Amino acid sequence: MKTADNQDGFLLLEALFSFAMFLLLCTLLLPLWIDVKKEHYIQEKRTVYYSLLQNELAKSTPKNQEFKDDKLSIAIRFGIEDGLKKGCIEIRGEGREERRCLYGYLE
């Protein structure tokens, strides 16, 4: 059997280089993917509780509420400020603290 001197094949060095590039991409992308998943979870919960805040603010007598989620602690507080109903939501958990408020007219 004759073999040609110039054989084009897939070398072990090329395989190791490809594997190293794959590992490099995995180590860079995996933490980013985990962060994106966390932010998606928090955004989803934020949307649900902001909707609840808005619905409670539309009522004539809104009630303060507290919720404990897996990773988050959410508190909804109501008060009166400058002749308006003020409803604030506080989100705490995973090294984050947020406080946002909505206002509504008194009835």
Side-chain angles (χ1 to χ4, degrees):
M1 214 196 290
K2 276 189 165 180
T3 60
D5 292 333
N6 188 8
Q7 290 184 355
D8 290 331
F10 192 68
L11 299 177
L12 180 62
L13 184 62
E14 292 170 334
L16 289 175
F17 182 74
S18 299
F19 185 67
M21 290 299 291
F22 175 75
L23 286 178
L24 180 67
L25 285 174
C26 286
T27 57
L28 292 175
L29 294 179
L30 187 63
L32 290 174
W33 184 71
I34 291 170
D35 286 344
V36 165
K37 284 298 215 183
K38 282 182 187 177
E39 287 299 319
H40 177 71
Y41 173 80
I42 291 170
Q43 182 66 33
E44 186 178 296
K45 293 297 177 182
R46 184 186 298 142
T47 303
V48 168
Y49 290 113
Y50 281 166
S51 176
L52 181 63
L53 173 65
Q54 188 174 13
N55 290 340
E56 282 292 317
L57 197 60
K59 295 179 181 176
S60 59
T61 55
K63 297 178 184 174
N64 294 338
Q65 300 178 9
E66 288 191 25
F67 303 97
K68 296 279 186 191
D69 205 297
D70 302 351
K71 306 167 187 173
L72 301 174
S73 171
I74 296 107
I76 298 176
R77 307 268 184 244
F78 295 95
I80 296 176
E81 184 178 297
D82 297 331
L84 296 171
K85 285 191 286 189
K86 179 181 179 181
C88 294
I89 186 168
E90 296 174 5
I91 301 173
R92 290 191 178 106
E94 294 191 358
R96 124 182 357 239
E97 271 190 46
E98 285 184 40
R99 184 168 194 249
R100 298 199 183 172
C101 298
L102 296 175
Y103 293 88
Y105 292 110
L106 291 171
E107 293 177 5

